[in-house]
Amino acid sequence: MADTTGHTTDAQAPDPPLRKASWRHIGPGIVVAATGVGAGDLVATLIAGSNFGYTLLWAAVVGCLVKISLAEAAGRWHLATGRTLFDGWAGLGSWTSWFFGVYAVVWGFVYGAAAMSSSGLPLQALFPHVMDLKWWGVACGLAGLVFVWFNKYAVFEKVMTVLVGVMFVVTVYLAIRVTPHLGDALAGLVPVLPDEKDSVLNTLGLIGGVGGTITLSAYGYWVNAKGWTDTGWMKVMRLDNRVAYATTGIFVVAMLFVGAELLHSANVAIAGGDKGLVQLGGILEEEYGTATAKFFLIGFFATSFTSLIGVWHGVSLMFADFVARLRGGRTRATGEEVASGARERSWPFRAYLLWLTFPPVVLLFQGQPFRLIILYGVLGAAFMPFLALTLIWLLNSSRTPRHWRNGLLSNAMLVVAGLLFLVLCVKQVWDQPWSESF
């Protein structure tokens, strides 16, 4: 096994026997699926269905396969080495600490406001005369703070599972309600690009946007928090990960069905961003009645709030590990420490929770500073190629025990993911209004 400098140690304990993959162990995958699929992902898929019908169904499926490879790699690192992902990053050089530190501060500040606003939108639509959207957002942020602060992973997982159940029922119900044309849907599994301008970049954007966030790197931390800390859990983790992205696939395919049938066939356009889902609620009310619209808004809230509390927990867990690794110097940060629950009780975990909740309230009431949003966009775009390329580095080196290093398929999928996100990163940076920021 490798130490934090990348040199292998002479002694290596034998691997524990592999536990049988069992459905009763499923958990972290449900959490990562719920957190990774936010309202923005559903809107993007909905708009893809609205614009192109079923043509890009194959891209949504490819997106799930790419994310399976990334999450599996993150989980495999945690289980194979007994070390956390940030500990692995730190072994690649101090630049990784600088990148993650700046990313966590800027991204958390802006994302906190976005997550609170997204969670407040469906509540305002459900209860329009109670209070303003900004205050609904603040209420959601505080609810997430209190919930994560006072509960450990086991309770967090159970609540996320219930909310995923709500998301699942709502999205599948809507997909059935719009009566999809299954023949057209099957044809959409054949890789074809729409005959539109920028169709390649739009397709890559859909592939990259299917549940692709920092929560992919948090997956290994949730695996440890579940109590899985060694290679004996490898089969269980892989089943759990596949269930996660099968669930994600169902969500996005269902919303693509809704976009293709309800919007594309009627030539109806909706706005991008979370407000597009509120607009969809109005369309559903006109088409199917108030009950269906209310049911959808409940699912919209479940989708947004799972992303909120998932980030509140998962990224805070990563930040606590980041601080512990910096304070410990060359001391390893292990999965056992995460499994013990010590990270969830630490002051860095709770400090980052507060950072996600209170400073972003300023953005809810005063708007988002232009230059900060540009920095947020650039850092956000850079994180996914950073994750893919560092996982290739870590899992092909002596830092990982030989038996658990990448095979040909893993390397191929991670290279595809890295190139995909690198292209999307360049496009995101290129599209920023740089001239307006000076």
Side-chain angles (χ1 to χ4, degrees), residues 131-283:
M131 56 184 169
D132 186 72
L133 172 62
K134 297 180 181 66
W135 290 109
W136 276 119
V138 171
C140 290
L142 291 174
L145 170 70
V146 171
F147 172 71
V148 175
W149 188 292
F150 290 105
N151 289 290
K152 297 298 178 283
Y153 175 79
V155 176
F156 166 71
E157 182 189 286
K158 286 182 174 63
V159 170
M160 291 288 273
T161 302
V162 171
L163 291 173
V164 167
V166 173
M167 292 168 60
F168 186 90
V169 170
V170 170
T171 54
V172 171
Y173 167 77
L174 287 178
I176 295 171
R177 193 79 169 81
V178 299
T179 319
H181 291 79
L182 297 182
D184 292 342
L186 289 174
L189 294 174
V190 178
V192 174
L193 291 175
D195 187 18
E196 302 281 345
K197 182 182 177 182
D198 294 332
S199 61
V200 173
L201 289 175
N202 288 333
T203 302
L204 291 178
L206 178 61
I207 294 172
V210 180
T213 68
I214 190 176
T215 52
L216 284 167
S217 52
Y219 178 62
Y221 288 86
W222 285 322
V223 163
N224 287 158
K226 179 76 169 176
W228 306 347
T229 57
D230 56 48
T231 54
W233 292 99
M234 198 68 77
K235 284 186 176 180
V236 177
M237 182 275 292
R238 284 171 168 163
L239 173 64
D240 179 74
N241 180 45
R242 288 164 190 158
V243 169
Y245 283 94
T247 304
T248 299
I250 291 170
F251 292 152
V252 297
V253 167
M255 292 308 291
L256 192 138
F257 281 9
V258 173
E261 295 294 342
L262 188 62
L263 305 179
H264 181 70
S265 59
N267 198 27
V268 175
I270 63 169
D274 301 337
K275 291 184 179 179
L277 291 184
V278 175
Q279 192 176 347
L280 177 62
I283 296 169

Side-chain angles (χ1 to χ4, degrees), residues 314-335:
V315 184
S316 297
L317 204 55
M318 292 183 68
F319 185 79
D321 189 53
F322 163 71
V323 173
R325 182 63 178 73
L326 291 185
R327 294 174 68 194
R330 298 173 66 85
T331 304
R332 291 181 178 180
T334 67

Side-chain angles (χ1 to χ4, degrees), residues 117 119-137 275 278 294 297 301:
S117 178
S119 298
L121 270 172
L123 292 177
Q124 187 193 38
L126 283 166
F127 309 104
H129 304 299
V130 175
M131 56 184 169
D132 186 72
L133 172 62
K134 297 180 181 66
W135 290 109
W136 276 119
K275 291 184 179 179
V278 175
K294 298 288 187 187
L297 289 172
F301 173 73

